[in-house]
Amino acid sequence: MNRIFNTLVIILLCCMEVRAAATLTHLTTEGRMEASGLDADKPRFGWQIVSDGRNVVQKSYRIIVASSRDKLAKNTGDMWDSGTVRSGDSQWVEYNGSTLLPSHTYYWKVFVTTNKGKAVSSAEAHWSTGLLDAGNWRGEWIGTDSLMGNETLDRHSVLAARYLRKTFRIGKTVRKATIHISGLGNYLLFINGKRIGEDVLTPLPTEYNATVAYDTYDVTSYLSGENAIGVVLAGGHYTGMVQNYQTNVRVSYGLPKLIANLIVEYSDGSSEVIVTDTTWKLTANGPIRKASGYDGECYDATKELGNWTSYGYDDSAWENASIVNRPGGTLRGGLAPNMRVYETANPVKLTKYHGRYIADFGTNGAGRIRLSYHGNNGDTVCIRHSELLKDGDSALYVDNLRGAQATATYICNGKQNDYVPEFTFYGFRYIEITGAENLCLKDITRELIADRMEDAGTDCKVMDGSGNNILNSIMDNARRGIRSNYKGMPIDCPQRDERMPWLGDRTVGCIGESYLMNNHALYAKWINDICDSQRPDGNISDVSPAYWRLYNGNVTWPAALPFSCDMLYRQYGDLRPMQNSYSAIRRFMKLVRQKHYDGGLVTYDRYGDWCVPPESPSLVHSKEPARKTDGQLISTAYYSYICNMMKYYAGKFGYTDDEKYFADEAAISRQALNDKFLVNGKYSNGTVTANLLPLAMDIIPAGKQTAVEDSLIATIVDRNGCHVSAGVIGIQWLMRYLSNSGHGDIAYRMATVDTYPGWGYMVRRGATTIWELWNGDTANPSMNSGNHVMLLGDLLIWCYECLAGIRPDGPGFKKIIIMPDYSVSALNGVSASHPSPYGVIRSCWQRVAGKISLTVTVPPNTTAKVYLPSGKTKCVGSGTYIYK
C-alpha cells in the first residue's frame, strides 16, 4: 500500500506541468465546454488560468463575441466587446451585447491580464443558440393521438415505435443546415441513412406540462441534392412508465409525437425551413414492436424497413402523419447535455448452461446490451437482466425487480446483425441469454449510459495503515451508483419498476456527487423540473418531475430544491438557480407553515428517518420504537435550517422583509424544537438522528452541546459498536459532524467496519454499487434495490472535505480551505484532487514514522487557507506547496 500511495503522490506531482507563462483554458458557456442550441439571451462565460507561477491573480479581462469565425480572428467583436474590465471575475460573466439571433453560432475569446505579466489571449470558443422563443417555431406537432394495431396501455403496455419520414430536394449550395427537434418521449434521428449524433434516450425528460426539451444539431455535412429525414419515436416518460403503482399518482401525458425545424441556409443568402406537417409519412409496422422503460424492448428484425431513411424509398403503404395535440409545456433548448454511452465492456465471464448463457460483467451498472449474432430467420433471442444470481449462481435473481420484466427480445432475420435496444435501459450486473448458440465473450457488449459530464481529474484515495482498502472500494461503488442513476435527472434506481426522481435521495448527497463529477448542468436542469412541478398553492411533489404525483406537503423531500440551489452556489459559484427558484421555495415554506405548523413545530412528516437499519434481517423498515426518530423533530429541524438558508439568500438579494421573516421563523421553530424535545441532555428518545440534527444544524441552545454530544457518541460507540444507526435523514449529516467535532477516529471506524450495518458490510458481501437498504442482502425484495445512492449521505463530502481537507471557503472555491483531519490514527495519508471552476485543487498528506507531510496545489486566481500538521495555518495564493 505504501508503494501504491507513493505512486499516487508522484503522479499528482507529475501532473503539475511547468509553464513559463499563464495560458487560458476550459472556456465555458453556461458552464459547458460544448454548448449547442442554448435558449439563453444572456449566456454566461467562464475560463481558467493555467500557470506554474505562485500567487497568480487575474487583474482584468476583455471578452469579444463575434458573429463569425473570421471576425473573431480579427478581434472584431461585432456582437459584444466588453472592453477592458478591471475585475478578478472569471466565472459566470454575463453576456451584455447585441440581441442574439435564433439558430446561430457565435464565437468568442477572452483576453486576460494577471499580476504576473502581459495580457494573454484564449483560443476560440463557440456556442450556438436555439430558436430562443416559442414563436420562432414553425410547423406542427405530428404523430397520431390513437393507439395503432394491437397496442395496449396497461400494466405491461405494448406500444410499437412510430417511424416517420420526409423527403425534399435542394437545388442550391448549402452554407449551413441546423435541425431543432423534439420527439416525445424519445426519438432517433436519421438523415440520408446516417444517424445524427451520439446521444441516447433523447430528449431529456421534463415536467412536460411546463417544459419540453428539444435538441439542436448541425447537419450541414449530411445534406445532398435529394434528402430524406427519418425519425423513430417511442413513448418513454411522456407516455408514462406506469406499471405497478397506484393509479391515482401515476402520470401519462400522451402518445409519441414529433416536432422538427430543419433550417437550411444557402450560400446566396436565402434560406428555407423544412417543418413537421401532414406531408410526413408514418407507420408503426416496423421492427420495434414494443419499447417499455420497465419491461424492455421487442425487436423483430424480420420487419426491418430497409433503407427507409434514404431518398427514393417506397413509402406508399405508409399513412400521412396527423397533426396531434401539443404537449402543454414550452419548448426549451440546451437544458443540459444529453445522455450518452460512457463505457463499453465485454463480460468478464460467460457460462453456458442447457439452452442458455449467463454473462457476468463484474460490476453492477445501468445501460444496455449490444449483441452481435447471426441467427436463423424467425429465431427468438431473449436477454434478461438482473443484479444478482441465485441457485448456485446458475440463474438470475429477479425478485427485487418487482413487476419489471427487464427483457430485450430479438427476433432474427437470418442475417448477421448488431442488436441494441434504443429506447430503454436496464440496471444489471448479469444477463441471461436464451435462444442463441455458439456465443463468445466478444459477441456481447455492455454499454453503460449516463448524462454526459466531465469527471476527469477528480479522485480521492486513502491509505489505511493496516492495508484496509474498504473505503476506496466504497468510493468506487459510489461512483458507479451515481452514474447509474443519472438519467436526464437524478433517479432512485435503474432496475425495478420505479426509476423515479425522488427528491429526498439527493438533499445533501448532491454535494458529494459534485466532488466525483461535474453535475452542474444536470442539477440546474433538475431544479427547473422541480419548480415546474410545483402546484400554484406551493406544494411540491416528492417525485419531480411529477411522474408520480406525491404532493404530501412533507418538508424533508422537497428540501432538495433549496439544498440543490445552495449546492450549485457553494460548489460552482452559480447564484442563478437560487435566484430563479427563490419564489418557489418561499411559496413552499409558506405552504408548510399554513398546513402543518403549530406554535413553531412542523407537525407533519411523511417518511421519518427512512431506512434505519432494522432489528430483523428480513425487515425493510424497523418496527422498534427505540430506533425511530420523532417525525416532528425531523420536520421542524429541517424547517428551521431552510429558514436560516433563506434568510441568507434573502439578504443577498436585498429582500429585507423576507430576511427578517425567515430569521424570525428560524428562531421560533428552533425554540419550539428545544422546548419539546430536549430533555435530560438528549433529544427525544436519543436516537443518533434525534441528537445529531440539532447539533449539526446549530439548533442546540448554548451550554447544552456537550451533554447532547456525549449522548450521541455513547449511542454510536457503546450501543451500536461504531456501526451506522441512522437512515436517510441522519446519514446526511453524521460523518462531517463527527470529524468536525473531533471524533474523526469514530467516523473512520464507522466508514470502514465490514460487519452489519455499514457501507463496508456491503463491500464485504460483494456489492459493487450502494444498496438501498443496510441489510440489502437479506431484506424482503419488495423494496431492495442493489443500486441506490441515498444511503451515501454525506460520506463522499466527508472523504473530500474532512479526510482530504478540500472544501470551499467561498462560492465556487474562489476561496479554499485545505484542512485534512490528521487525527484519524488509522490513516497513513490521503491523496485527493478536485476540478473546481478555477482549476484542479490537490491535497496530498502522508504520515511516515509519525511525521506528516502535506502537498497542496492551489489553482490560479484563487487563494487558500491551509491548516498544517503543526497546527499552524498558512494563507497562500496559487501554486504548489510542500509542508513537512
Side-chain angles (χ1 to χ4, degrees), residues 151 153 157-162 186 232-237 239-241 256 287-299 407 419 421-424 426:
E151 293 179 334
L153 287 179
S157 298
V158 176
L159 190 72
R162 279 84 168 108
N186 301 124
V232 190
L233 293 179
H237 282 289
T239 298
M241 298 165 72
I288 300 180
R289 307 312 307 148
K290 180 181 77 171
S292 164
Y294 294 146
D295 289 342
E297 185 174 291
C298 177
Y299 186 96
T407 300
Y419 166 64
E422 294 281 5
F423 292 115
T424 188
Y426 309 87

Side-chain angles (χ1 to χ4, degrees), residues 388 429 468-475 477 480 723 751-771 774-778:
L388 297 169
R429 171 176 172 172
N468 184 337
N469 201 43
I470 281 182
L471 187 53
N472 291 326
S473 296
I474 293 168
M475 285 189 278
N477 289 2
R480 289 187 205 97
H723 288 81
T752 56
V753 66
D754 66 357
T755 51
Y756 173 80
W759 301 286
Y761 175 72
M762 299 180 193
V763 172
R764 185 169 69 84
R765 297 294 294 169
T768 57
T769 46
I770 305 298
W771 294 343
W774 299 109
N775 56 330
D777 57 335
T778 58

Side-chain angles (χ1 to χ4, degrees), residues 483-623:
R483 292 301 291 264
S484 296
N485 287 293
Y486 277 177
K487 293 293 181 289
M489 54 195 174
I491 61 172
D492 63 332
C493 62
Q495 76 294 95
R496 69 182 180 217
D497 55 357
E498 191 165 356
R499 313 182 198 185
M500 286 291 138
W502 283 94
L503 303 190
D505 292 21
R506 293 324 210 284
T507 305
V508 170
C510 60
I511 302 173
E513 294 167 18
S514 75
Y515 280 110
L516 294 190
M517 54 205 73
N518 185 344
N519 62 2
H520 172 272
L522 176 69
Y523 270 87
K525 178 262 178 192
W526 192 39
I527 286 166
N528 183 75
D529 294 336
I530 299 169
C531 292
D532 279 350
S533 74
Q534 186 175 37
R535 287 180 170 171
D537 66 355
N539 212 339
I540 294 174
S541 175
D542 297 337
V543 169
S544 294
Y547 301 147
W548 289 357
R549 290 174 178 162
L550 299 173
Y551 291 91
N552 292 311
N554 172 63
V555 178
T556 51
W557 262 235
L561 176 58
F563 275 69
S564 295
C565 293
D566 184 62
M567 180 275 286
L568 292 182
Y569 187 51
R570 179 190 196 267
Q571 300 295 102
Y572 299 99
D574 188 2
L575 190 57
R576 186 175 287 178
M578 180 59 85
Q579 288 173 316
N580 293 343
S581 305
Y582 180 91
S583 62
I585 301 167
R586 187 180 186 276
R587 286 197 307 275
F588 174 72
M589 296 297 284
K590 293 276 190 177
L591 172 84
V592 171
R593 197 186 194 287
Q594 177 185 350
K595 292 186 66 175
H596 307 302
Y597 192 86
D598 182 12
L601 292 174
V602 178
T603 58
Y604 175 72
D605 178 71
R606 174 68 179 85
Y607 303 105
D609 193 15
W610 189 253
C611 294
V612 170
E615 59 276 13
S616 169
S618 63
L619 286 177
V620 170
H621 296 294
S622 174
K623 298 179 180 180

Side-chain angles (χ1 to χ4, degrees), residues 533-774:
S533 74
Q534 186 175 37
R535 287 180 170 171
D537 66 355
N539 212 339
I540 294 174
S541 175
D542 297 337
V543 169
S544 294
Y547 301 147
W548 289 357
R549 290 174 178 162
L550 299 173
Y551 291 91
N552 292 311
N554 172 63
V555 178
T556 51
W557 262 235
L561 176 58
F563 275 69
S564 295
C565 293
D566 184 62
M567 180 275 286
L568 292 182
Y569 187 51
R570 179 190 196 267
Q571 300 295 102
Y572 299 99
D574 188 2
L575 190 57
R576 186 175 287 178
M578 180 59 85
Q579 288 173 316
N580 293 343
S581 305
Y582 180 91
S583 62
I585 301 167
R586 187 180 186 276
R587 286 197 307 275
F588 174 72
M589 296 297 284
K590 293 276 190 177
L591 172 84
V592 171
R593 197 186 194 287
Q594 177 185 350
K595 292 186 66 175
H596 307 302
Y597 192 86
D598 182 12
L601 292 174
V602 178
T603 58
Y604 175 72
D605 178 71
R606 174 68 179 85
Y607 303 105
D609 193 15
W610 189 253
C611 294
V612 170
E615 59 276 13
S616 169
S618 63
L619 286 177
V620 170
H621 296 294
S622 174
K623 298 179 180 180
E624 188 177 287
R627 295 173 183 259
K628 297 182 179 181
T629 303
D630 192 294
Q632 289 190 21
L633 187 156
I634 293 171
S635 57
T636 304
Y638 268 73
Y639 179 83
S640 179
Y641 188 89
I642 296 170
C643 282
N644 268 324
M645 184 189 296
M646 295 302 288
K647 168 197 164 187
Y648 168 79
Y649 284 106
K652 194 164 190 65
F653 299 149
Y655 304 151
T656 54
D657 290 346
D658 278 5
E659 186 178 13
K660 182 179 185 307
Y661 169 79
F662 282 118
D664 291 344
E665 284 295 295
I668 292 168
S669 57
R670 181 169 60 245
Q671 185 65 50
L673 187 151
N674 287 322
D675 289 347
K676 181 174 176 81
F677 294 108
L678 180 56
V679 180
N680 297 327
K682 67 178 182 180
Y683 281 86
S684 189
N685 60 346
T687 65
V688 166
T689 299
N691 283 329
L692 174 65
L693 293 184
L695 288 166
M697 294 180 171
D698 199 23
I699 290 172
I700 194 166
K704 303 291 186 181
Q705 179 172 337
T706 300
V708 175
E709 188 175 296
D710 287 347
S711 177
L712 171 69
I713 298 303
T715 301
I716 292 172
V717 177
D718 300 336
R719 187 188 307 172
N720 297 309
C722 282
H723 288 81
V724 168
S725 51
V728 168
I729 297 299
I731 207 64
Q732 296 176 353
W733 307 90
L734 181 57
M735 303 301 288
R736 288 172 296 168
Y737 182 79
L738 289 174
S739 274
N740 292 338
S741 61
H743 302 288
D745 272 326
I746 294 174
Y748 187 77
R749 183 178 170 191
M750 183 183 297
T752 56
V753 66
D754 66 357
T755 51
Y756 173 80
W759 301 286
Y761 175 72
M762 299 180 193
V763 172
R764 185 169 69 84
R765 297 294 294 169
T768 57
T769 46
I770 305 298
W771 294 343
E772 179 178 20
L773 302 173
W774 299 109

Side-chain angles (χ1 to χ4, degrees), residues 424-477:
T424 188
F425 62 88
Y426 309 87
F428 65 102
R429 171 176 172 172
Y430 304 96
I431 60 169
E432 176 194 77
I433 303 177
T434 56
E437 295 293 336
N438 302 316
L439 291 177
C440 60
L441 292 173
K442 67 180 179 60
D443 297 327
I444 306 164
T445 304
R446 182 172 71 169
E447 299 181 343
L448 297 181
I449 294 169
D451 296 87
R452 182 160 47 97
M453 59 185 66
E454 299 171 70
D455 63 357
T458 177
D459 197 17
C460 183
K461 296 295 182 185
V462 302
M463 186 180 73
D464 185 284
S466 66
N468 184 337
N469 201 43
I470 281 182
L471 187 53
N472 291 326
S473 296
I474 293 168
M475 285 189 278
D476 290 341
N477 289 2

Side-chain angles (χ1 to χ4, degrees), residues 142-196:
I142 61 171
T144 174
D145 276 332
S146 59
L147 296 176
M148 304 181 74
N150 296 320
E151 293 179 334
T152 62
L153 287 179
D154 51 28
R155 183 176 182 186
H156 295 283
S157 298
V158 176
L159 190 72
R162 279 84 168 108
Y163 297 78
L164 297 99
R165 58 180 260 111
K166 166 76 175 180
T167 58
F168 61 98
R169 288 190 174 95
I170 289 175
K172 301 180 181 180
T173 302
V174 176
R175 184 182 69 83
K176 182 182 178 183
T178 307
I179 192 166
H180 308 280
I181 180 171
S182 182
L184 301 179
N186 301 124
Y187 72 89
L188 297 174
L189 171 64
F190 301 85
I191 294 180
N192 293 332
K194 296 180 180 179
R195 180 166 172 174
I196 306 301

Side-chain angles (χ1 to χ4, degrees), residues 188-244:
L188 297 174
L189 171 64
F190 301 85
I191 294 180
N192 293 332
K194 296 180 180 179
R195 180 166 172 174
I196 306 301
E198 298 176 355
D199 301 333
V200 299
L201 297 171
T202 51
L204 295 171
T206 58
E207 182 63 52
Y208 299 108
N209 286 335
T211 297
V212 174
Y214 73 89
D215 302 312
T216 296
Y217 296 102
D218 183 338
V219 294
T220 308
S221 62
Y222 293 86
L223 297 187
S224 59
E226 296 178 330
N227 301 279
I229 307 173
V231 178
V232 190
L233 293 179
H237 282 289
Y238 186 75
T239 298
M241 298 165 72
V242 299
Q243 180 183 339
N244 197 28

